[in-house]
Amino acid sequence: MFADKLCSLSDEALLTHYHSTREFKAFKLIYQRHKDRLYRYCVQVSRRNCAALLEQLWFNLLEKPPRLGGRLLRNWLYIQANRMLQGGAFAKSSTDEHLADSSENTAFEALARGDADRAALLQAVQQLPRIQRNIFLLHVECGLSLGLIADIENLTLKACTAYYRQSRDSLETLINGQPRRAWKSQRTRRMELAVEREKSARPDSAETLSADSAAANASVVKGIEVPA
């Protein structure tokens, strides 16, 4: 098939074509479409295992192209990557992460080099709890729907959405810090404290006014004052 014809095909059509012909150009197009996002996802989940995992994932697709059964190839790729990251030889432990030396972090650092905002975001993402980090990356970096991510993580959609919102709030705090309170001078703070103390030391003025009004109304019937 001509190259321009192949380029116009969807991922799923390319996979079907590769199934039937084993034409390497079809596989190469799939690889070029998805390699960057897959890398960005994997390197942020497990820097140590990223290269080996992706090599294995692409090798599996090359040698044993899957039957998608109506599923999008993009979704299949991330589901497989996530399964490999969460279990088996590629699963990351906290011990592995602490033992990773600077040479193993080269790819991750290169991803953030030259962009201070991007670097700050990447560092903040690494501090999120695992499930928040994974949901955030799959949704924002990989473009998967929260419904699909809920299936991947074996969560309800409501729980998945809650984790995603928590991840955004956590990132906001990690990057920008706690929201600042409005600045007040020492004199202003002393005045406010004095007012609060004065309020707490006397009966509430509103309650006193309400009681006085009620007494006045009780002594008046249709405009005629009733003697006490």
Side-chain angles (χ1 to χ4, degrees), residues 52-174:
L53 183 148
L54 289 175
E55 182 179 351
Q56 185 64 52
L57 178 62
W58 288 117
F59 178 80
N60 292 345
L61 184 67
L62 180 66
E63 293 297 315
K64 298 177 181 178
R67 297 290 182 180
L68 298 176
R71 179 179 290 164
L72 294 177
L73 176 61
R74 180 194 66 171
N75 293 352
W76 181 89
L77 287 169
Y78 288 108
I79 289 171
Q80 296 304 308
N82 189 72
R83 286 176 179 172
M84 294 167 73
L85 285 164
Q86 302 306 325
F90 298 104
K92 181 192 73 173
S93 68
S94 58
T95 303
D96 288 338
E97 191 66 15
H98 288 302
L99 290 175
D101 59 27
S102 59
S103 64
E104 291 171 322
N105 295 334
T106 302
F108 180 75
E109 292 168 357
L111 188 63
R113 190 176 297 124
D115 188 338
D117 292 338
R118 176 72 172 170
L121 176 61
L122 290 174
Q123 294 297 331
V125 167
Q126 292 303 301
Q127 298 179 57
L128 293 176
R130 187 208 67 82
I131 192 167
Q132 287 186 28
R133 180 172 67 249
N134 203 43
I135 289 172
F136 178 83
L137 290 173
L138 287 172
H139 187 55
V140 175
E141 193 73 75
C142 308
L144 302 190
S145 69
L146 289 175
L148 178 59
I149 299 169
D151 289 339
I152 292 174
E153 287 287 353
N154 196 26
L155 297 168
T156 64
L157 178 58
K158 182 178 181 179
C160 186
T161 303
Y163 277 123
Y164 173 66
R165 288 173 178 167
Q166 290 170 14
S167 72
R168 292 183 63 92
D169 292 342
S170 298
L171 289 172
E172 179 72 22
T173 300
L174 288 167

Side-chain angles (χ1 to χ4, degrees), residues 21-50:
T21 65
R22 295 295 171 137
E23 184 177 355
F24 184 72
K25 289 180 181 178
F27 171 83
K28 186 176 180 180
L29 280 171
I30 293 173
Y31 174 77
Q32 290 174 338
R33 290 177 183 180
H34 297 283
K35 64 181 179 69
D36 291 336
R37 276 195 169 186
L38 266 171
Y39 169 76
R40 288 196 297 270
Y41 168 65
C42 291
V43 79
Q44 291 179 80
V45 175
S46 179
R47 285 169 272 171
R48 164 171 288 190
N49 296 321
C50 176

Side-chain angles (χ1 to χ4, degrees), residues 193-211:
L193 181 59
V195 171
E196 290 297 327
R197 287 175 176 172
E198 184 178 353
K199 285 182 179 179
S200 62
R202 68 185 182 186
D204 187 75
S205 58
E207 291 181 0
T208 303
L209 178 62
S210 178

